[in-house]
Amino acid sequence: MAEQQQEALSEQPRRRRVWCRGCRRELTDREARLRGWGRECDPDQRTRHDRHDVDQEQLPGF
């Protein structure tokens, strides 16, 4: 009898699932996965993303 080998289903190795230490949501961003903290929960201010505040015109009548 000839031996039959099953082909691999995918070439990419499966990555380990990582959850945020604060809110327990699954992390998808590479940097967040390495730190173990999501953007909103990260206690280290240096790794947070900058806020982009936009100046707005006042509403008429105010």
Side-chain angles (χ1 to χ4, degrees):
M1 289 177 91
E3 290 185 32
Q4 294 179 354
Q5 291 184 345
Q6 183 177 0
E7 293 182 29
L9 296 176
S10 68
E11 296 297 322
Q12 297 178 355
R14 292 192 66 150
R15 66 179 183 188
R16 184 174 59 96
R17 295 174 80 178
V18 179
W19 287 270
C20 177
R21 295 184 212 173
C23 65
R24 301 291 183 212
R25 286 188 286 186
E26 187 173 0
L27 300 174
T28 56
D29 181 53
R30 182 179 184 275
E31 293 296 321
R33 291 171 51 84
L34 292 173
R35 288 191 314 269
W37 292 97
R39 290 182 185 182
E40 296 84 17
C41 301
D42 192 354
D44 190 355
Q45 295 291 328
R46 294 174 293 165
T47 58
R48 289 194 176 199
H49 297 277
D50 294 333
R51 289 181 51 169
H52 297 285
D53 292 329
V54 179
D55 292 332
Q56 296 181 350
E57 295 180 21
Q58 283 186 337
L59 294 172
F62 287 100

